[in-house]
Amino acid sequence: MLATRRLPGRISLVSLAVLAACSTPPPPPPPTPPPPVVPTVRPVPPDQAAEGMGIPEKDADGKYLTANRGVTSNTALWHVRMALNVAALNCDKYGSTARLQYNQILAVHKPMLTAANAAVDRNYSVAYGNAGLGARERLNTVVYNFFALPPVIKHFCPVAVGVGAKVLATPSGQLLDQAPVWLAELEKPFQDFYAAYADYLRRLAEWQSRFGASVTVVVSPTPLPPPPVPPGDAPPRGWTPSVTASTVTRTATPPSTGSARPPVTPAAPNAATPPVTSPSVTPPSVARTVPDNSVPKLVVQPLPATGE
């Protein structure tokens, strides 16, 4: 009987312990962790280019201004030759194709390249007189430096090899027609680089406004000055402007009252008198004071033997 009475008491004690446990408040939640640290990486120039580098301004068509704009066909062909010369000198790290192509082009298309060089020389002589050759050499320096821009070489070399193959496969008589197209193709890697650099400057300015309050960054370097513009085609040698002599025709004057004077008729031209012409226009003599542009910058190597 005693055992039977103790059991309900024990059950009551267990119930009280359970109730006490249910009334205990839960522990507080753990503290919220801090937000992750996002690194603010400062933008860097494309293709490992220098910071603060100036790039050209754009023209009305949205293209960056270069010395290849507005050129004649002869000048375009000469600029293509200079671009391939730069490739021959700077692309050996990507193989010898550019150099071998350039030497073959000088041999296969020598007459056409010589004629184009003479035409460009004549353009400068007519436009600038005795200072023409110096003006051309200054432009040549700009063009060479343009195609030798270090950050773009790795993108330029494969394009130059592709254009060199097209030049070799094209008859000499068609070079002038294709030269502007090839020149635009050779310039495209540089246009793309300028666009990428302009985008880098935009992102750098945004980074500066958000994270770089204590850092001085030049986000808008001075643009490059516009390159010189090559002259247009000069007239061929022996050309003279046509001048038409004005013929004064006197109209008949009606006789006045009381006058017996007959009307004045125009005098017939004298067939023996030669027509009036202007003196022959010839460019001034120019003495070359700089190396001849027809001499290639790269020593020409002999063509490989074909076995014939």
Side-chain angles (χ1 to χ4, degrees):
M1 294 299 292
L2 293 175
T4 303
R5 290 178 180 177
R6 289 177 181 175
L7 184 58
R10 291 180 179 177
I11 294 175
S12 299
L13 292 175
V14 172
S15 300
L16 292 174
V18 171
L19 292 174
C22 293
S23 62
T24 303
T32 304
V37 177
V38 179
T40 58
V41 179
R42 174 179 169 176
V44 296
D47 297 311
Q48 300 179 346
E51 295 185 357
M53 174 180 169
I55 61 175
E57 295 181 335
K58 291 183 178 180
D59 59 14
D61 297 330
K63 297 288 186 180
Y64 292 96
L65 293 172
T66 73
N68 299 314
R69 75 190 191 279
V71 297
T72 66
S73 294
N74 285 302
T75 302
L77 180 58
W78 198 252
H79 285 195
V80 168
R81 189 208 72 89
M82 286 194 287
L84 298 182
N85 188 358
V86 172
L89 294 170
N90 292 276
C91 296
D92 265 351
K93 65 177 69 175
Y94 306 106
S96 60
T97 304
R99 175 171 50 83
L100 296 176
Q101 283 180 341
Y102 178 72
N103 290 329
Q104 291 176 340
I105 288 170
L106 293 182
V108 173
H109 296 304
K110 181 178 179 180
M112 180 57 68
L113 293 175
T114 301
N117 178 66
V120 177
D121 263 351
R122 184 173 67 251
N123 295 343
Y124 275 89
S125 296
V126 172
Y128 298 101
N130 292 332
L133 294 177
R136 183 183 180 187
E137 285 301 316
R138 285 190 293 273
L139 179 66
N140 285 352
T141 301
V142 173
V143 174
Y144 270 105
N145 291 339
F146 170 79
F147 284 115
L149 189 62
V152 194
I153 285 295
K154 64 180 180 181
H155 306 293
F156 167 68
C157 287
V159 175
V161 169
V163 171
K166 295 177 183 178
V167 175
L168 282 174
T170 302
S172 292
Q174 300 177 15
L175 294 185
L176 292 180
D177 294 332
Q178 296 299 320
V181 178
W182 294 333
L183 186 58
E185 189 173 346
L186 290 165
E187 189 181 87
K188 187 177 185 303
F190 300 88
Q191 292 282 341
D192 293 344
F193 169 77
Y194 290 144
Y197 202 94
D199 182 68
Y200 148 72
L201 293 176
R202 178 192 61 78
R203 291 184 290 107
L204 182 61
E206 181 181 353
W207 179 90
Q208 169 74 12
S209 64
R210 295 179 61 187
F211 309 111
S214 60
V215 180
T216 302
V217 178
V218 179
V219 295
S220 298
T222 304
L224 295 178
V229 180
D233 279 332
R237 296 189 185 279
W239 176 87
T240 57
S242 58
V243 177
T244 304
S246 58
T247 302
V248 180
T249 303
R250 291 176 293 175
T251 57
T253 304
S256 59
T257 304
S259 173
R261 181 185 300 173
V264 178
T265 57
N270 186 356
T273 303
V276 178
T277 59
S278 65
S280 176
V281 178
T282 57
S285 59
V286 179
R288 183 176 293 278
T289 58
V290 292
D292 189 349
N293 282 311
S294 62
V295 178
K297 302 291 183 180
L298 186 68
V299 177
V300 179
Q301 299 180 357
L303 292 174
T306 59
E308 297 181 355

